[in-house]
Amino acid sequence: MPRWKKILIAVLGLGLIMALGFTACELAEREDTCAEGVVRTGGECIGVNSEGYDFGTPEIKDVARAIAQENKRIDGQPHVTVAIMLPLQSDKAALRRQMRSDLQGAYLGQRQANEGEGEPPKIRMVLANPGRNYEQQEKVVGTLLRMADSPEDQLRAVTGFNLSLDTTEAAVKRLTEHKIPVLASRISGDRIANEDTADGMEKARFPGLARIIPTNHDAAQALANFNGERGRENLKTVLVYDKRADSYNESLAKAFNGIKEQGPAGPAPMPFESPAIDEAGSTGNQFTQLANNICDSQADIVYFAGRTLHLRIFALKLAQVGCKDRHYTIVSGSDAASLRQDMSEKDWAQLRGEDGRAKVTVQYAAPAHPNAWSAELARWNNKWDAAHDRKPTAEELPQYLTEPKAALNTLKKRIETTRGEGTSLGSAPNLEDSRTMLVYDGLTTIGTALHQAQSGGADAVPGREDVGGQWSLLHSRHRVQGTSGLICLTSGGNAYDKPAAVVELDPGREGHGKLKFVGLGWPTGREQPKNCVIPSGTP
């Protein structure tokens, strides 16, 4: 065979191999594609989607479709993109229900921002799944950076963020370094926050970050102020904390440890170590030992710095310990807001003694509760009536209560409107766990910032730095009336003196226990000032 034929055959063969290789790669890529913009990686569907994809989580199927319908409705109008970044897959039913609550708040907030007062732009929302515990956030953040630069997408804010983890911090840091505004509605860890200084001149670690939830430090201080007012000075306390690296646990433990005991000194802090946020591991055995030690210590109040899964196990173990005639109050942070959903009737029975009285009560600082404003207004009115012989004028009513109550009424009307339109969100929103309320407030805050930054005519779209620059202006006259309280942002983008809704889980006498709103705790020790004007020198 002539040499030139051999060369030709070799070239053709190589070309065929390369073509087959490219085809195989393309087929493999297709097989790994979960949906538009979403690829299966490490057993999870990771990526960004705006077309109603549910990421294989049936609980969010309807609300994801509702968001896609709203995106389609505003198509053709001046709009920007807002991403909600949350882990959207789990094999645990409780976590899937929490995802649904978060996305229900996102959809309702998107509708309110798009239909409320103010000029365009409208909000197009995309769902961004960074994987379990945000472990694959780098891929998703890379996509969001490209969307921020894209004249078609015009990404102008990223919100969501429900776990205070190192991976979450890395995502927020990279986004803000590229001047993409971030509004954290659900992370309470102190590390993912800018420091507020008296002169406001400190360089921000996360330029363009805003938070509408109190930090763990502020929530712990609010709890301490609240309980101090209720006469718990003579009770002994003990700190139980998770040693696993988790910025939520770490900052909550530090905050609880910083509370000055007003009564007799309690025992030294007691550590345990869990394997992961959503895994129990050997914590049950550890908690049995801790519970015995707490029984011997005579402590009455247990500050618990750990996640909801482990809090539930600890509460049940503490109830099992045979300490005669003892009642414990476990005090924890915002992650406990989902505890009630995880409790079975058997669990509730275990928290009661044989006489039907509670052996263990769990108290936590919820970032919001739907009964807070009505209950506090009723108390305020009772005090007013006792001191006056007339009704208060509108100017005399407590603004820090009336405005959030009005915002909550607006949210409830939005829920009814959605139901009346026949739009399914998968289930009726459960406001008691605070998730829907907080994420809703996040979207309405972003909507306010977009409208405030709007300039140059109805068709103009504000730049990302213009939007991020609005955070520190949202106070005083431009405060946001949130369902979770007045949102007044400091120069560092933190919520000033945001109240914590002190809530207790009471096992009651029989059946399922009750979630009871107890009162409001204020980080500064008193309510927000008139018009939420932030005092000078506020650190």
Side-chain angles (χ1 to χ4, degrees), residues 482-496:
T483 64
S484 57
L486 294 181
I487 297 169
C488 329
L489 299 180
T490 65
S491 59
N494 299 308
Y496 173 70

Side-chain angles (χ1 to χ4, degrees), residues 57-127:
T57 302
E59 285 83 351
I60 69 171
K61 182 177 182 179
D62 287 343
V63 68
R65 285 181 175 176
I67 290 170
Q69 290 171 1
E70 176 64 6
N71 290 342
K72 187 175 181 180
R73 186 184 73 84
I74 66 165
D75 191 33
Q77 302 179 55
H79 66 267
V80 300
T81 299
V82 172
I84 178 161
M85 191 169 177
L86 297 166
L88 293 173
Q89 290 177 283
S90 175
D91 58 357
K92 294 179 172 56
L95 292 180
R96 295 196 300 269
R97 290 193 295 269
Q98 291 173 22
M99 296 169 193
R100 180 173 60 203
S101 290
D102 285 335
L103 293 188
Q104 286 173 339
Y107 168 75
L108 295 165
Q110 178 191 22
R111 285 289 304 273
Q112 186 62 30
N114 285 346
E115 296 182 16
E117 295 181 4
E119 297 296 323
K122 307 296 186 185
I123 292 176
R124 166 183 174 260
M125 192 182 304
V126 297
L127 306 186

